Amino acid sequence: MVLLHVKRGDDEAKQFLVEVAAATPCAELTQQLAEIHNLRLKVGRLTAAAEGLARHGPMKPPEQQGLDDETPMLEDVTDEGDIKKRVPEHGPHYCQDPTERRTGNAPPSDMGAIISRTVEDAARLVSKDQIAMKQLTSRKALLDSIDAIKGATMIVYPMGLPPFDTVRQILDEKEELGGSAAGTTTTTTTNNNN
C-alpha cells in the first residue's frame, strides 16, 4: 500500500490523503483521485447549502431570489397600475436569509439541529485538519456523508424540497456547475488508452 498526499494548488483545503495499492495502474489511480477530489468538492457545496437550509429554510423560486418580501412582483400590479400589498408568509420559526435566496421559514430548532449535526460530520471529512490528523479520505466515507445529509433532509422535509433548491439539485445529481466557480474546480480525466 502507498500513502498519497494529494495537493491541488497551494490551498490547504484542497489537500487530502489516500491509500492505494502499489500495483494500481496510473490511469486507474488518476480516475480514483479525480473522483475523490470531485466528491470532496460536492460534499463541501452540499454542506454549505444544507446549513443554509437548516438556518433559513427552502429556497425561494429563482424569480424571487434576491428580492425581499416588500418588493412587488409583476403579479402584484393591478390592471389600473396600482400595486397590491402582499402579506409575507412567515412561519413560526422565521429567520430571514440575509442573501434573500431562501424563504426564511426554517424548520423547528430541534429538526434543524438534525441537519446541522449531519453537516458538521460531513464537513469534518473534507476539513483541512484531516491532513494534520493523518486521516485518510475514502470514496465510501464521502458517499456515506452525502447519504447521511440526504437522510437528514428527508427526515426534516418529508414532503420534499422544491426542484430549484440547491440541496435537492445536488442530491438528485441535477446540479448545473457550468459557468460557476464550482465548475472550474472539478476535475475530469480522459482515458488515452485506445
Side-chain angles (χ1 to χ4, degrees):
M1 296 302 278
V2 177
L3 180 67
L4 299 175
H5 183 166
V6 181
K7 300 178 181 181
R8 182 166 184 189
D10 294 334
D11 189 359
E12 288 183 17
K14 294 181 182 171
Q15 298 180 23
F16 58 97
L17 297 174
V18 177
E19 192 173 59
V20 294
T24 305
C26 285
E28 183 181 328
L29 176 61
T30 304
Q31 188 69 34
Q32 288 176 10
L33 294 177
E35 183 179 13
I36 290 172
H37 172 72
N38 291 341
L39 280 171
R40 289 182 82 248
L41 295 174
K42 182 177 182 176
V43 168
R45 291 189 309 273
L46 183 57
T47 55
E51 190 58 42
L53 177 66
R55 288 186 183 161
H56 305 291
M59 293 191 86
K60 293 178 179 179
E63 64 274 3
Q64 293 180 3
Q65 290 181 12
L67 302 176
D68 62 12
D69 292 332
E70 304 301 318
T71 305
M73 300 296 289
L74 187 57
E75 60 266 12
D76 295 337
V77 179
T78 63
D79 292 336
E80 294 80 35
D82 297 329
I83 297 176
K84 293 186 289 185
K85 178 86 170 144
R86 280 190 299 138
V87 178
E89 298 175 21
H90 295 165
H93 307 285
Y94 182 76
C95 178
Q96 184 174 0
D97 180 8
T99 65
E100 294 292 345
R101 294 184 69 215
R102 296 191 172 274
T103 61
N105 292 319
S109 58
D110 59 334
M111 298 302 272
I114 293 172
I115 295 176
S116 295
R117 281 192 306 270
T118 309
V119 164
E120 288 171 12
D121 292 343
R124 273 194 291 277
L125 280 178
V126 297
S127 167
K128 65 181 181 180
D129 298 335
Q130 293 291 91
I131 296 288
M133 296 186 308
K134 306 282 190 230
Q135 293 294 313
L136 300 177
T137 302
S138 72
R139 178 182 181 275
K140 182 184 180 330
L142 294 169
L143 290 172
D144 287 348
S145 71
I146 291 170
D147 288 341
I149 293 173
K150 184 176 187 173
T153 303
M154 290 172 64
I155 289 170
V156 177
Y157 292 96
M159 68 297 235
L161 294 170
F164 46 80
D165 195 291
T166 308
V167 173
R168 180 171 173 181
Q169 290 177 350
I170 293 171
L171 292 173
D172 290 349
E173 303 286 336
K174 295 183 179 172
E175 181 183 30
E176 285 294 326
L177 295 178
S180 69
T184 63
T185 57
T186 57
T187 303
T188 58
T189 60
T190 55
N191 191 354
N192 295 330
N193 298 338
N194 293 336

